[in-house]
Amino acid sequence: MDQERGSFSKMGFILAAAGSAVGLGNLWRFPFTVGENGGGVFVLMYLLSIIIIAIPVLLAEASLGRHTNKNPIGAFAMVKPGSSWPLVGLLGIICAFMILSFYAVIAGWTVAYFVKAVTGQFTNIGPEQAVASFGSFTSNSWLQLVLLAVFIVITVVVVSGGVAGGIEKCSKILMPVLLGILILLLIRSLTLKGAYEGVMFYLKPDFSKFSFKVVIAAIGQAFFSMSLGMGTMITYGSYVSKKDSLPSSCGWIAFFDTFIALMAGFIIFPAIFSQGMNPDQGSGVMFNVLPVLFSKMPGGSIFGSFFFLLLSIAALTSTISILEVPVSYLIDERKWKRKKASVLIGSIAFIIGICSALSNGGSSFFSNLPVFNIGFLDLWNMIWGNVALSVGALLEAIFVAYVWKTHKAVKEIKVGAQKFTLVKPWSFLIKYIVPVFIILILIGYFI
Ligand code: TRP
């Protein structure tokens, strides 16, 4: 295989793809989106979206990637030369810039909270203090810019060195340790006084809160969390060996990712309700409530330090996978060197990211945009994280089902898989359910 591209070893795909999937999407984005969309009813829609939409799309992306051995643009061009389908890949590459730009801001917050935990700032703090300290932290413009820069530089350094080896090793250690800490947090949160109310908010659907906005948020969250809709899994699929089984790998990835998101909810909501905090408080939820939770745990500073360190690493394995999409394109199609490509794209993402970094108090303009009346980061998260990923996944599904054709995709999926018993359900979902649902939801949302 091409030196500049690299490839995964056996198990490497599961580890790297799980590393891509598990990140801030699970621990930061999922809980605050649940909070903003009425709790249980959103969770129900989210689980449905995972099963009938996201998993089929994951398999479609991974098989297209492995079949073509290419970046997203190259993959579309190879299956349908001379068409305008590669534009879908281009949309994905634009998405990568945009998502990286705000994702790295939040990743910077996790690094800063790691430092806060290590320096013992999570002792004896109540909800008001936590909220106030978060507010003054995010309105410190210089600090926000430095944190963003630091995170992007680290991502660029790792991607410059080639993806395969590093992430695999990282994920192997990261996942079990992260899981261990999450279990401890879960126990602490569920045993707080008043935890039950949070569990009810989280699990009991209140159908009066149902709306198109809830459904699009749920589908968007499913795509975001599993790194779908912009070609990450096409790119990672392109590094997978023909000996690996795609269906079982994809099943494991979906399982891990969903499991961790669900755990995050069981940690955040009981803690929020027991502290009398508001579940619908936007993107700061996790940073407001976890310090309080840690300060109520014996050894809280130690667990807090570990937690934010691991979350920073989980975020890193995700930013790597986002940056890898445009980088693999420049390497394959433009014959750039890996290093040059990573540095250029990282720099552009930093510049766009400035708007998000200043949008939580740093700049009053970016914190409350005219017309939209929300902050830049929230707007970007909605446009690129929900709408653009949904459009991308829709076009990918149509491409795989009707241009590449399901029977050819199935042939690719079966390579390396002992058996793929779900041929019929998968074909049905990718041909009809995925496109029809996404189209209906998008239309409903915009009307
Ligand atoms: N899925 C990652 C998370 O949950 C973020 C991510 C990585 C992503 N690659 C992506 C999101 C591609 C959308 C598209 O944190």
Side-chain angles (χ1 to χ4, degrees), residues 17-29 61 95-96 99 103 220-233 257 314-315 317-323 325 384-385 389:
S20 166
V22 174
L24 300 172
N26 309 61
L27 287 135
W28 159 75
R29 198 181 194 270
E61 277 202 23
C95 262
I99 293 181
Y103 197 95
Q221 177 60 27
F223 289 145
F224 191 96
S225 193
M226 291 194 355
S227 307
L228 298 172
M230 57 163 250
T232 302
M233 294 302 178
D257 186 67
T317 54
S318 300
T319 51
I320 290 168
S321 76
I322 304 177
L323 183 58
V325 172
W384 301 101
L389 292 182

